[in-house]
Amino acid sequence: MDKRKLNRITAVFLTLVVLVVAWMLSGSFRRPTRVVLPQETESSGQFPGGEETANDALNVVAVAPNTVQSAIRTLERPARYRRTINTQRFWSGGSGTLETTVSVSAPWTRLDRTEADGRLRHTLTDGQTTYVWYNSETAVFSAPAGEISSDAEQAIPTYEEILELPAERIVSADYRVIGTDVSCIYVETDTDQNGYRLRYWVSVDSGLLVAAEKLLEEETVYRMWETAVDLSPAFSTEFTLPDGTVLGDE
């Protein structure tokens, strides 16, 4: 091999070495991507529908039995949403579960639920008047809503009642994750004079009660949990009576 050809090979090799070293140095001095980890709050316990894990939501308001009422006051329910919930009741020797689709376009709330006798029950209420009909029938029953709230129509607890409790009645409160990714404020009350104890899981994202339990002397007698939610629903005839009367904004 002549000297000129050897010099060209050497020059190419040196050039490659310089390029590789330059690339390695540029990588060494590049600033790493900043990773911001959310504050975590440890939790324990389980609930149907998934495991509870350490909460990955930002702990904006510290939650403890003596501060949880302030945290709940920061929540606001959406004025428009659709979701599906299950309610389960237990009795000696058995239990029963009902699935309800809830559609809300404030002030109207619509419930569609299959009753134990197989009939599909439809309810529309604005807190003043309640309309009820079954299956695809055109006959509609109406009556003043009275003291029956939309939560009562859904057969779920009203979690705002937590705000009315004496602070000493709250024995446990923290942030928890229920299911796979629903960050919640968890609240547990002490045992009342009738032997009942309540547990609430309230979503910090939607402001909705997503799970609840009622226990009697450590035995579960009632359970509720959310199975699906849509916070930007497209409604069609949800707030229309069988005769075509439109009650809500669809």
Side-chain angles (χ1 to χ4, degrees):
M1 180 181 298
D2 62 36
K3 188 175 181 179
R4 286 180 298 175
K5 188 174 183 180
L6 180 61
N7 287 339
R8 285 198 299 271
I9 294 174
T10 302
V12 171
F13 176 77
L14 289 175
T15 300
L16 289 174
V17 170
V18 171
L19 290 174
V20 170
V21 171
W23 176 79
M24 293 176 65
L25 289 175
S26 67
S28 300
F29 290 105
R30 185 181 297 119
R31 295 183 65 183
T33 302
R34 186 183 179 192
V35 178
V36 180
L37 296 177
Q39 186 172 352
E40 292 185 353
T41 302
E42 293 199 0
S43 63
S44 60
Q46 304 223 345
F47 194 85
E51 290 187 355
E52 293 173 359
T53 61
N55 179 24
D56 290 331
L58 292 177
N59 194 351
V60 178
V61 179
V63 170
N66 63 330
T67 61
V68 69
Q69 290 168 314
S70 296
I72 288 177
R73 286 190 182 94
T74 68
L75 301 179
E76 185 176 350
R77 300 195 198 195
R80 186 181 180 90
Y81 65 90
R82 179 193 290 116
R83 69 171 178 162
T84 302
I85 60 172
N86 284 349
T87 53
Q88 186 176 27
R89 299 183 185 277
F90 298 82
W91 55 84
S92 179
S95 66
T97 302
L98 294 176
E99 182 179 86
T100 304
T101 298
V102 183
S103 302
V104 173
S105 181
W108 291 96
T109 297
R110 172 168 173 159
L111 311 176
D112 299 284
R113 178 174 59 228
T114 301
E115 301 288 275
D117 60 6
R119 291 191 301 170
L120 182 60
R121 184 178 188 268
H122 311 281
T123 306
L124 264 173
T125 183
D126 63 350
Q128 304 296 320
T129 305
T130 298
Y131 302 88
V132 179
W133 70 99
Y134 292 87
N135 300 322
S136 57
E137 299 172 358
T138 57
V140 177
F141 307 93
S142 63
E147 298 299 319
I148 301 178
S149 66
S150 61
D151 283 348
E153 291 283 356
Q154 297 174 58
I156 65 174
T158 300
Y159 75 77
E160 285 86 353
E161 291 177 358
I162 299 169
L163 302 177
E164 301 173 5
L165 289 175
E168 59 270 18
R169 289 283 318 277
I170 300 173
V171 297
S172 181
D174 53 42
Y175 284 113
R176 299 189 180 186
V177 173
I178 195 171
T180 57
D181 60 357
V182 182
S183 299
C184 298
I185 293 176
Y186 170 77
V187 185
E188 182 175 342
T189 70
D190 65 356
T191 302
D192 65 18
Q193 60 184 2
N194 296 315
Y196 291 103
R197 183 158 48 96
L198 293 171
R199 295 173 176 170
Y200 301 86
W201 287 259
V202 185
S203 169
V204 298
D205 294 321
S206 68
L208 297 171
L209 181 73
V210 295
E213 282 187 324
K214 187 174 185 178
L215 297 90
L216 176 61
E217 298 177 352
E218 302 307 317
E219 292 290 331
T220 302
V221 296
Y222 168 88
R223 180 176 287 151
M224 165 266 172
W225 65 99
E226 176 183 277
T227 60
V229 63
D230 181 358
L231 299 180
S232 301
F235 294 130
S236 56
T237 60
E238 279 84 347
F239 304 99
T240 301
L241 296 177
D243 65 2
T245 302
V246 178
L247 299 177
D249 180 15
E250 299 174 333

